Amino acid sequence: MSNPSRLASAAARPRRVPWLALSATLLLAACATTPPPKPQAEAAPRPAAPPPKGLVPARDAYPSTYKVAASGLTAIVNANIYTGTGQKILGGMVVFDAGKIVSVGPAAAPPAGAKLIDAKGRWVTPGLIDAHSHLGVFPAPAVTGQVDVNENIDPNTGYVWAEHSVWPQDAGFERARAGGVTSLLILPGSANLFGGRTVALKNVPAVTVQAMKFPGAPYGLKMACGENPKGRYGARGRTPATRMGNVAGYRRGWIEAADYGKRWAAYDKKAAKGEGGEPPKRDLTLDTLSGALTGELLVQNHCYRADEMANLIDVSHEFGYHITAFHHAVEAYKIAPLLAREGICAAVWSGRWGFKMEAYDGIEENAALLTKAGVCVSLHSDDPNIIQRLNREAAVAQAAGRRAGIDIPDAVAIQWITLNSAKIMGVADRTGSLEPGKMADIVLWSADPLSIYALADLVFIDGAVEFDRQAPRRPSDFELGQNRGDLAQ
């Protein structure tokens, strides 16, 4: 091993050249023939400089800062369990640790050292998921200065992102937690053909939206058909003014997006070879639409009438994208086999219809008929009140099916507000059911959640208690010092 102090002192000393060696060098230099100059080697091409930051779309420009809260090994025992996978377990046990589900099954000895929660016959489900919400972007109080849900100034506002409107202090988030909601999809409004990007959130108290963003969840593209876009712009003398104008608007948008995607693909191919070149001029609208064409973004399509849904499916075939779900699909039951064949989910209400012409032909049996036909069905809210009672939405839709002779098992009805909603959000591999390795998003109910008397007693998000009915109510920052009666919803 070298001595560092010696090396340092040697380096500091001036080097001396022996006189004999210097003389020999001078003599050889004098006798040598001067060689011809070597041809200079062609300079290697310099690697292309990367474009300035922001001119090339970043994969995760607005990252989640969500942190899983600390939690320990916990076992809920003596529980009746809906697993979200279509299974019901009576008197079972759920074990979770470090934010993940460890095991779910019948009664057994709890693991050593686990904190025990005796359910005493109460019911456990996965955390509920709302696949269509405007909390945060249409918050309470819904005064003009707070409403940021619709960029309704152009039929194509694919350039906006819902997360940039979310107000985390919306009191609705805590009320939704009280209803057992642990994750939700926030969408822009429905005034536009292309309304912008959706964002998936974990329903945790936070100061910033980044701290609520569901880690790794895909973005979605909100689209709308029917009366909203044609009414909004037709009334202003603009296109679209008709449903055929709506479809023309989609097609124009997709054509531009396909061309944009082609130009970026060519640039990416050159960049991968180090050839560089000027990137195409970036366009925020087409960033989003081209992402939907490749499947990076999930298409969430607001649509009521069966014939319009069929038209939108044809449009998707023309441009080669997939519709993840039709939202508010009150007439979905009319085309159930088509939706099943296309693998398109339907997000519906149990009993909301008739509030406008295109919503006129809704029926309470919609969810049951679709489920019977093999369609992935989710009961959504689109409303700050309904989100507090999604379990009752499932019960109402189930009862309507039974009256029509369609017996939807309880454990399947629970999937309408858990696993199927997670599929629409693209997070079903992480939440939506009680399976080992998934997020410990869990609700302990006072009774069977399909009972009108059931209340969420405890709500765990990633294993941490985020709502406790016995604990003092946790107001949002905005509610502190406010007259709560003014904020009641």
Side-chain angles (χ1 to χ4, degrees):
M1 190 171 181
S2 302
N3 185 326
S5 61
R6 289 182 58 191
L7 289 175
S9 62
R13 287 196 299 270
R15 299 192 64 186
R16 295 181 299 170
V17 180
W19 69 269
L20 184 59
L22 177 61
S23 301
T25 302
L26 292 173
L27 180 63
L28 287 172
C31 296
T33 305
T34 303
K38 292 181 179 178
Q40 286 192 337
E42 191 173 337
R46 296 176 59 188
K53 206 170 179 184
L55 293 190
V56 175
R59 181 160 292 278
D60 194 15
Y62 296 88
S64 168
T65 60
Y66 172 76
K67 301 292 183 190
V68 175
S71 63
L73 179 62
T74 305
I76 303 177
V77 299
N78 300 320
N80 299 316
I81 303 166
Y82 290 120
T83 64
T85 61
Q87 189 181 10
K88 180 196 286 189
I89 301 170
L90 299 178
M93 180 175 70
V94 178
V95 179
F96 51 95
D97 188 22
K100 302 289 185 185
I101 293 171
V102 175
S103 64
V104 181
K115 175 186 175 183
L116 297 183
I117 298 175
D118 189 348
K120 298 178 179 175
R122 290 178 290 172
W123 289 76
V124 168
T125 67
L128 306 194
I129 298 173
D130 189 355
H132 192 116
S133 173
H134 299 300
L135 290 186
V137 296
F138 197 166
V143 295
T144 304
Q146 291 283 86
V147 177
D148 294 309
V149 65
N150 253 324
E151 187 76 7
N152 52 4
I153 51 89
D154 193 89
N156 187 349
T157 58
Y159 49 82
V160 300
W161 296 30
E163 67 191 77
H164 298 143
S165 278
V166 170
W167 188 49
Q169 294 185 46
D170 183 356
F173 288 120
E174 172 69 2
R175 288 156 173 75
R177 275 192 293 277
V181 174
T182 56
S183 300
L184 60 170
L185 186 66
I186 307 298
L187 302 95
S190 307
N192 321 86
L193 300 175
F194 298 100
R197 290 198 187 207
T198 69
V199 62
L201 301 181
K202 300 284 286 192
N203 192 15
V204 294
V207 176
T208 66
V209 67
Q210 290 88 343
M212 300 176 75
K213 285 181 73 173
F214 196 119
Y219 284 109
L221 168 63
K222 172 69 179 292
M223 295 178 62
C225 58
E227 295 179 23
N228 282 14
K230 84 183 186 77
R232 178 73 186 176
Y233 299 102
R236 298 177 178 182
R238 296 183 57 187
T239 185
T242 61
R243 285 184 163 82
M244 59 185 172
N246 283 352
V247 173
Y250 307 130
R251 298 177 77 200
R252 277 201 296 265
W254 291 128
I255 288 169
E256 291 178 8
D259 181 65
Y260 183 74
K262 185 181 73 173
R263 284 184 274 129
W264 272 104
Y267 169 78
D268 291 342
K269 189 175 178 181
K270 285 186 175 180
K273 296 178 181 175
E275 297 176 5
E278 284 294 314
K281 183 178 180 181
R282 197 170 167 203
D283 183 303
L284 292 179
T285 298
L286 299 178
D287 277 353
T288 294
L289 268 62
S290 60
L293 286 179
T294 62
E296 183 183 346
L297 276 71
L298 307 181
V299 174
Q300 311 289 356
N301 210 140
H302 154 125
C303 215
Y304 290 79
R305 282 184 5 192
D307 57 312
E308 285 195 272
M309 289 184 247
N311 284 340
L312 266 292
I313 290 171
D314 280 350
V315 173
S316 75
H317 291 170
E318 181 182 7
F319 293 96
Y321 67 93
H322 177 69
I323 298 168
T324 298
F326 284 116
H327 295 240
H328 318 333
V330 299
E331 290 189 11
Y333 64 94
K334 296 182 180 179
I335 54 168
L338 173 61
L339 297 177
R341 188 167 66 246
E342 293 286 331
I344 298 174
C345 295
V348 301
W349 295 290
S350 68
R352 190 163 182 245
W353 71 85
F355 47 89
K356 55 183 173 177
M357 194 65 204
E358 65 185 357
Y360 198 74
D361 215 4
I363 60 173
E364 288 185 332
E365 297 83 357
N366 196 13
L369 286 165
L370 290 165
T371 301
K372 183 181 177 184
V375 178
C376 156
V377 175
S378 164
L379 287 165
H380 66 350
S381 76
D382 189 32
D383 182 90
N385 295 309
I386 294 175
I387 195 173
Q388 301 172 38
R389 295 181 284 277
L390 285 175
N391 58 315
R392 295 181 205 173
E393 282 284 291
V396 169
Q398 182 192 36
R402 285 178 175 165
R403 286 196 298 274
I406 305 168
D407 189 12
I408 302 295
D410 295 345
V412 173
I414 291 296
Q415 291 181 302
W416 290 341
I417 50 176
T418 56
L419 186 63
N420 291 357
S421 308
K423 289 177 181 175
I424 290 175
M425 289 173 59
V427 294
D429 58 335
R430 282 159 277 180
T431 190
S433 60
L434 303 178
E435 298 177 87
K438 281 193 168 184
M439 295 170 166
D441 297 340
I442 300 167
V443 183
L444 175 59
W445 299 89
S446 63
D448 187 326
L450 296 173
S451 162
I452 195 169
Y453 300 108
L455 294 170
D457 283 342
L458 286 173
V459 178
F460 301 86
I461 298 180
D462 287 309
V465 175
E466 294 292 357
F467 175 80
D468 182 347
R469 191 163 295 280
Q470 300 304 315
R473 184 166 167 265
R474 184 168 49 186
S476 74
D477 288 353
F478 179 76
E479 286 182 293
L480 287 172
Q482 300 283 345
N483 181 343
R484 292 183 184 175
D486 294 342
L487 300 172
Q489 295 184 55

